[in-house]
Amino acid sequence: MGFFDTIFGKKGSNSEEKEGNEKKAWAWEPLMTVEQLEDVVRESHSVPVVIFKHSTRCGISRMAYRNFENDMNANGIEVRFYYLDLLSYREVSNAVASRLGVAHESPQLLLLKDAKVVYHESHGNISTQRLRELLEEA
C-alpha cells in the first residue's frame, strides 16, 4: 500500500475489513433533508445525536472521516449517528448552520442533546475520545 493509500484509504477498503471483519456497534444514518434535520433535533431530546458533516471532494475531510470511523467506539452508549454529505445536500448543510447556530466547517462533528449543540469540532480537532467522554456523561 502506498503513502497516499495510507492517508486517504485504499479504494474499496473499509474499517470493518481492517478489523478482521469485526462490525462496529453503530451505523451512519444519512441526513438528506431539512425536514429530517428537524426530526433529528427533536430526537436529541431522547437520545444524544452526532452529526458528521463531510465534503466528499476534500482529502482532509476524507481523512477526518476515516479516522473517526476507525477510532469511534460507541459500545454500550445510546447515541444516533448521522452523516451529511454537504456537497450533495448543501441546503441541509446550510440549515444545520442556521438552525443550530454553529458556523459551517468541513469536516465538522456536532453533538446534540436536548436540541442544543453541546460539542462541535472540525478538521484535526475532531476527537473520538472527547466525544465518548461527553456521551458517557449523559
Side-chain angles (χ1 to χ4, degrees), residues 4-5 7-8 17 19 22 29 37-38 40 42 50 53 55-56 61 68 71 76 81 98 107 110 129 135:
F4 289 105
D5 289 339
I7 291 177
F8 299 112
E17 290 172 359
E19 299 299 322
E22 182 180 314
E29 178 78 27
L37 173 61
E38 290 305 317
V40 167
R42 278 190 295 280
V50 171
K53 292 171 57 180
S55 171
T56 55
S61 189
F68 182 86
D71 294 343
F81 290 91
S98 64
L110 300 100
Q129 180 180 349
L135 290 169

Side-chain angles (χ1 to χ4, degrees), residues 23-101:
K23 294 207 181 237
K24 58 186 180 240
W26 56 274
W28 293 113
E29 178 78 27
L31 179 54
M32 300 182 291
T33 68
V34 173
E35 295 78 17
Q36 183 186 12
L37 173 61
E38 290 305 317
D39 292 340
V40 167
V41 170
R42 278 190 295 280
E43 181 180 33
S44 76
H45 284 285
S46 59
V47 64
V49 170
V50 171
I51 298 174
F52 193 98
K53 292 171 57 180
H54 171 52
S55 171
T56 55
R57 282 191 234 146
C58 173
I60 292 170
S61 189
R62 178 177 294 134
M63 186 169 53
Y65 173 77
R66 287 187 188 276
N67 287 343
F68 182 86
E69 277 214 313
N70 289 334
D71 294 343
M72 186 61 204
N73 177 354
N75 293 338
I77 298 175
E78 187 177 5
V79 58
R80 292 290 307 264
F81 290 91
Y82 290 89
Y83 168 89
L84 174 56
D85 174 347
L86 62 95
L87 296 177
S88 296
Y89 303 101
R90 175 85 52 197
E91 178 185 359
V92 180
S93 179
N94 293 338
V96 166
S98 64
R99 170 69 171 86
L100 300 175

Side-chain angles (χ1 to χ4, degrees), residues 95-122:
V96 166
S98 64
R99 170 69 171 86
L100 300 175
V102 176
H104 164 77
E105 295 190 65
S106 171
Q108 185 175 40
L109 180 128
L110 300 100
L111 172 61
L112 283 69
K113 292 182 184 177
D114 296 320
K116 295 181 183 104
V117 175
V118 295
Y119 173 72
H120 66 93
E121 287 294 350
S122 66

